[in-house]
Amino acid sequence: MGKLQSKFRKRSTLYRSSEGQKDDSALDSQVLQYEPAHQGSINSVVSLSPEACVSGGSDQAVVVYDWTQGRMCQSLQGHTREVTKVLCYPGTTWIFSASRDKTVFMWDLNQGYEPIQEFCGHELVVNGIAVSPDGRKLCSGSRDNWMCLWDIESAKCEQRHNISRNLVTHVCWVPGSSTIAQTSEDKTIRIWDSRAWQVTHTFPAKQYIQTHCDVSANGHYLVSSSNGFGGQGCEATLWDLRQPGCKVVEYRGHLQTTACCVFLPSTTGGSSLVATSSHDSSVKIWDQNTAACLGTLSLDGAGPLVSLAPSDPVNLICASFNSGLHHLQLCHGSPQGQSQPHAHGGAGSGGSGGSGGVDIRVVARF
């Protein structure tokens, strides 16, 4: 696998600006193209380190990729159907992957190319995985309506709970707590106590399916994204976890399903930001508190943009159905926040964010 490290580079002009934006693709929409991470669509991407990401897709592979060097580091094979979610446990070489083959695998990058643990017990596709802050427990959620809690060391299922129509779409562990947040196709967000393995709070149901969720680093806020079409639904919603079910603001502007929503790492003195990606092939950056859209990038032809992985306040990896992974770079404080899909090869630098916009540039595709 280590030999799959071709670093050929060529110029691409696939990206054009979104409607209402000046089309300067002929001048500066050129991006570096590296060796593709996957063959086919990509369903999930997460940050492994400041230089690397982990992704999973329809080719059944879990791929570790150094996006700063443009090379594949490892391709982990073992799932028999497409990979739906990937997860890295911070500060370790542990990777977890969920699949349509109804299993969750645990990998250790220091222990070769075979999974070191396999979690079996779901009856349908597994769409959500989260690891406890102490690294001892794994939570998994599936379209079979079951939420399961596993002991990582033994791979034994310690708790199971079935809720009718709770087709799980995503789960995330609240930092520094025993609490888990979970979204569902029944349009509901549930908060679980991992000790009692019971739902402690159910948020007011939204109009459409809840596709994804993320929790802020301080554990105070949750953002969820919504299914939709024609601009109806398609929003992301900020919730206050200190007052469960309390809606703070909504981020509206996508025209199709908002597939992913993440909190961005903050800069010193900068605004708190949220990023969203959508089936309308666009990425948007929002001011977390005012819900103002600070920047939009349209990746024409990329298809649904289904997953985002922030590495730091400046660098963001975006997964697409049609054109692989994209390395995006954020330039904070641009005058109008009008993002042009152009690229440059050098490292970017972040500003304070402030009240200005965010310029989003495509640096590379792989």
Side-chain angles (χ1 to χ4, degrees):
M1 299 297 176
K3 294 183 179 180
L4 296 176
Q5 297 178 0
S6 60
K7 293 173 62 176
F8 81 95
R9 304 182 181 189
K10 67 180 181 180
R11 299 294 179 178
S12 172
T13 56
L14 291 177
Y15 306 106
R16 295 188 298 276
S17 56
S18 58
E19 63 277 1
Q21 297 179 6
K22 186 177 180 181
D23 186 353
D24 59 353
S25 59
L27 297 176
D28 56 4
S29 66
Q30 299 173 329
V31 302
L32 296 171
Q33 181 165 307
Y34 298 124
E35 170 195 4
H38 292 270
Q39 301 298 319
S41 61
I42 300 173
N43 296 320
S44 180
V45 62
V46 293
S47 180
L48 174 64
S49 71
E51 300 83 24
C53 63
V54 177
S55 55
S58 61
D59 59 1
Q60 306 172 12
V62 176
V63 171
V64 181
Y65 204 100
D66 184 336
W67 51 265
T68 65
Q69 298 296 318
R71 66 181 183 91
M72 184 188 299
C73 301
Q74 288 180 267
S75 180
L76 305 173
Q77 309 287 336
H79 286 294
T80 58
R81 298 191 66 185
E82 70 178 286
V83 177
T84 54
K85 291 286 167 67
V86 290
L87 171 71
C88 301
Y89 181 62
T92 73
T93 52
W94 291 359
I95 294 173
F96 296 82
S97 57
S99 171
R100 286 191 175 274
D101 65 14
K102 311 172 190 177
T103 68
V104 177
F105 284 173
M106 177 183 179
W107 316 78
D108 189 329
L109 297 180
N110 289 334
Q111 297 189 36
Y113 292 89
E114 299 294 328
I116 63 170
Q117 208 65 282
E118 185 173 349
F119 305 87
C120 301
H122 284 291
E123 298 173 358
L124 293 172
V125 53
V126 182
N127 282 327
I129 46 177
V131 174
S132 62
D134 63 10
R136 296 181 178 180
K137 307 296 180 184
L138 169 73
C139 168
S140 65
S142 166
R143 284 180 60 87
D144 62 9
N145 302 329
W146 286 96
M147 285 279 287
C148 296
L149 187 69
W150 310 80
D151 177 77
I152 288 179
E153 185 176 1
S154 66
K156 291 183 179 179
C157 184
E158 297 183 335
Q159 301 279 358
R160 288 168 57 86
H161 196 131
N162 182 294
I163 297 177
S164 177
R165 296 187 294 178
N166 184 29
L167 284 73
V168 179
T169 56
H170 197 73
V171 297
C172 49
W173 213 295
V174 178
S177 78
S178 59
T179 302
I180 298 164
Q182 175 245 312
T183 51
S184 171
E185 287 194 14
D186 69 359
K187 310 173 186 178
T188 301
I189 300 167
R190 295 179 173 87
I191 304 298
W192 293 74
D193 181 344
S194 63
R195 297 164 298 187
W197 207 237
Q198 296 289 332
V199 176
T200 57
H201 295 93
T202 300
F203 291 10
K206 297 283 290 181
Q207 184 178 4
Y208 293 95
I209 289 170
Q210 297 300 284
T211 57
H212 190 267
C213 61
D214 190 32
V215 178
S216 61
N218 61 12
H220 292 169
Y221 296 100
L222 179 140
V223 62
S224 67
S225 53
S226 174
N227 195 3
F229 54 91
Q232 298 298 313
C234 313
E235 78 278 356
T237 305
L238 183 70
W239 309 85
D240 191 335
L241 287 176
R242 296 164 295 183
Q243 305 175 62
C246 176
K247 181 170 66 176
V248 182
V249 293
E250 289 186 334
Y251 310 102
R252 293 185 173 273
H254 285 297
L255 300 178
Q256 297 181 37
T257 292
T258 300
C260 185
C261 52
V262 294
F263 292 95
L264 296 181
S266 59
T267 57
T268 303
S271 301
S272 298
L273 303 178
V274 169
T276 57
S277 65
S278 169
H279 288 192
D280 65 12
S281 302
S282 73
V283 174
K284 291 181 179 289
I285 307 297
W286 312 82
D287 184 292
Q288 175 184 310
N289 301 316
T290 67
C293 183
L294 303 180
T296 298
L297 173 69
S298 180
L299 296 177
D300 294 347
L305 306 181
V306 293
S307 186
L308 295 169
S311 176
D312 54 43
V314 174
N315 295 290
L316 181 66
I317 308 300
C318 175
S320 72
F321 261 33
N322 296 344
S323 57
L325 293 164
H326 304 260
H327 172 202
L328 309 181
Q329 207 163 71
L330 311 181
C331 180
H332 299 267
S334 64
Q336 298 177 345
Q338 292 300 310
S339 305
Q340 301 292 347
H342 49 273
H344 53 85
S349 60
S352 64
S355 59
V358 177
D359 189 51
I360 315 170
R361 302 170 183 264
V362 184
V363 176
R365 186 182 68 177
F366 51 93

